[in-house]
Amino acid sequence: MNKIAISGYVGPIKTGIGKTLENIIVELKSIDNGNTYLLFYNKDNSDYLKYIDGKKIIGKVFNISKNSPILNILWHQFILPIRLLKYSVDILYVPNVTLLTIKICKTVVVLHDMIEFNVAKKFNRIRMIYRKFAVPLTAKTADHIITVSQHSKKDIIKFCKVPSNKITVIHNGVDKSYKPMELSNVKDILKKHSIVSPYILYVGTIDHPGKNAISLIKAFNIFKKNNPNYQLVLVGKPGYGYKTIEKEIINLEIAESIVIPGYVPDEDLPAIYSGAKVFVLLSLYEGFGLPLVEAMACGTPIIASNRSCFPEIVGDYNRLVDPYDIDAVANKISELVNNEKYYSEVVEAGKNRAKLFNWSNSAKNTLKAFNRYL
């Protein structure tokens, strides 16, 4: 039986990368009877405990906090290689960007996007320098790369100078818990997070310029003039440029209409998606845009940026807008909420589109990538 090691470090807070890894682990546990997985995880990341069974998924905790990025980088460089030798690992699976300088076994890495090469101020200066060095080096060191969209694949080839046949595109999936819910069943969750219907929703790191949150806030301000009873709900942790976003909210004098509940646990998200009137994501660049698929699966109509991977993921171009055209965004929101027929058509189109993305297929294709080296 082969041994596949999984690097479980996905950062301090579980975002799309962490969700992807957990769902892949669940599905691999179900479909793979030929391999054993060693899951290396931080001492303070209890999210993985429910997947560890000691047989197919074996937990290997290491004594470093998920809140210490530098220590995690060092651990991956010097301690992980020793562990891989100790346990005679056949393949290392790395689901998050990390520097890999010592190679012990075949390595499959997941590169979700090339955002550091596309958005100049996505992260602070030190992190940008690190990622621009680490990502291409990791891409060249890895035996195989998995990415989540054709758009990301093109960028990896462009910026990392690796051949096309070294990269496999495997779309993310959407968890089965994301489905339409009646408003009567979501009221308690909305109350818990101080959300009042009707509301326009955004889910993701609240940053600027990467996620382009300010464009959404400006568009909402225009929309609200004719729809004063609406809230704008921004779900997620503050990111780079958050102070700029706060200043814009103050300048527009709409703070009383904006709810920022912070990071929301996964189990609350289906209710928050289902309760929303419209979901909007105006990112300048994304590798996949998982919240879009989650919203569509919950029966919430979406409006997305026409940049990056979004045409590939959304499919229906009628739901795409120029992320810098504030008036167009505001008009699209108004068109949706004020036209019942169009609204219903977008809801059904979204639910059908979301069915194309499932974690079972993602895991099967990930296993195929592993089998190339076993």
Side-chain angles (χ1 to χ4, degrees):
M1 186 170 285
N2 299 296
K3 292 181 181 177
I4 299 173
I6 301 174
S7 168
Y9 173 65
V10 292
I13 294 178
K14 183 168 61 179
T15 55
I17 293 173
K19 286 184 179 182
T20 298
L21 177 57
E22 288 192 14
N23 280 284
I24 292 295
I25 289 172
V26 169
E27 295 297 333
L28 286 174
K29 187 176 179 180
S30 173
I31 66 174
D32 186 5
N33 296 314
N35 302 302
T36 298
Y37 292 86
L38 306 182
L39 174 58
F40 292 90
Y41 65 100
N42 298 91
K43 65 179 182 179
D44 51 355
N45 193 342
S46 59
D47 289 349
Y48 295 121
L49 296 178
K50 55 182 172 289
Y51 310 121
I52 295 169
D53 58 13
K55 296 178 181 178
K56 189 176 290 187
I57 310 291
I58 300 171
K60 298 293 180 182
V61 64
F62 55 95
N63 195 32
I64 293 177
S65 171
K66 62 184 180 181
N67 298 307
S68 303
I70 293 177
L71 289 179
N72 277 284
I73 291 171
L74 293 173
W75 186 88
H76 279 83
Q77 307 322 302
F78 304 111
I79 307 300
L80 179 58
I82 296 172
R83 297 287 190 271
L84 299 179
L85 282 173
K86 177 182 177 181
Y87 297 114
S88 301
V89 168
D90 298 290
I91 290 178
L92 171 63
Y93 176 56
V94 184
N96 193 17
V97 172
T98 189
L99 189 60
L100 295 173
T101 54
I102 302 174
K103 187 175 176 184
I104 299 300
C105 59
K106 296 293 183 181
T107 305
V108 177
V109 303
V110 182
L111 298 180
H112 288 257
D113 56 54
M114 293 282 105
I115 197 164
E116 54 281 317
F117 293 94
N118 287 280
V119 181
K121 295 183 179 180
K122 172 61 179 177
F123 308 112
N124 63 50
R125 186 168 178 270
I126 294 175
R127 191 175 177 190
M128 287 290 284
I129 292 171
Y130 165 73
R131 287 179 64 104
K132 284 190 175 183
F133 169 73
V135 173
L137 181 59
T138 299
K140 290 173 182 174
T141 303
D143 291 282
H144 200 73
I145 299 166
I146 292 172
T147 194
V148 294
S149 65
Q150 293 293 340
H151 188 274
S152 286
K153 178 177 179 176
K154 291 177 183 177
D155 274 357
I156 293 168
I157 294 170
K158 176 181 177 181
F159 294 111
C160 298
K161 311 300 181 188
V162 296
S164 175
N165 61 5
K166 189 177 180 177
I167 307 170
T168 297
V169 174
I170 301 176
H171 286 142
N172 287 334
V174 60
D175 191 85
K176 295 175 183 177
S177 64
Y178 290 91
K179 56 187 177 182
M181 298 174 62
E182 295 294 334
L183 187 59
S184 58
N185 295 327
V186 306
K187 285 183 177 179
D188 288 343
I189 300 297
L190 299 186
K191 184 177 180 181
K192 172 183 172 182
H193 296 288
S194 302
I195 299 171
V196 178
S197 294
Y199 59 93
I200 308 302
L201 178 64
Y202 163 89
V203 176
T205 303
I206 306 172
D207 70 16
H208 188 81
K211 299 286 188 179
N212 197 26
I214 286 180
S215 284
L216 173 55
I217 291 165
K218 288 179 177 178
F220 174 74
N221 184 48
I222 296 172
F223 164 77
K224 183 175 171 57
K225 290 175 181 177
N226 293 319
N227 302 272
N229 58 325
Y230 273 81
Q231 286 186 336
L232 173 62
V233 179
L234 306 174
V235 172
K237 66 175 183 175
Y240 187 80
Y242 184 72
K243 289 185 178 179
T244 304
I245 294 168
E246 288 183 314
K247 288 179 182 178
E248 188 65 30
I249 292 172
I250 293 170
N251 290 340
L252 293 175
E253 299 180 344
I254 55 171
E256 75 284 353
S257 299
I258 296 181
V259 178
I260 305 178
Y263 179 78
V264 168
D266 288 347
E267 58 267 24
D268 290 355
L269 282 175
I272 293 174
Y273 279 123
S274 294
K277 192 69 175 177
V278 180
F279 177 84
V280 185
L281 185 61
L282 302 177
S283 298
L284 303 181
Y285 184 89
E286 295 271 359
F288 183 82
L290 184 57
L292 283 175
V293 184
E294 292 173 342
M296 289 190 292
C298 289
T300 302
I302 61 101
I303 297 170
S305 163
N306 62 6
R307 305 282 182 93
S308 187
C309 67
F310 292 130
E312 177 183 345
I313 304 305
V314 172
D316 180 1
Y317 290 8
N318 192 35
R319 291 174 283 176
L320 300 176
V321 293
D322 182 337
Y324 286 124
D325 191 337
I326 308 303
D327 289 329
V329 177
N331 289 337
K332 181 63 71 173
I333 297 173
S334 296
E335 183 183 9
L336 271 171
V337 303
N338 295 312
N339 186 329
E340 287 188 21
K341 183 175 182 295
Y342 176 53
Y343 189 92
S344 297
E345 289 172 354
V346 174
V347 168
E348 289 306 310
K351 287 192 289 187
N352 289 332
R353 184 70 181 176
K355 292 175 184 177
L356 300 177
F357 305 99
N358 66 81
W359 290 117
S360 177
N361 286 340
S362 301
K364 288 175 183 175
N365 288 320
T366 299
L367 185 56
K368 286 181 182 178
F370 294 158
N371 285 336
R372 295 175 62 168
Y373 304 100
L374 293 174

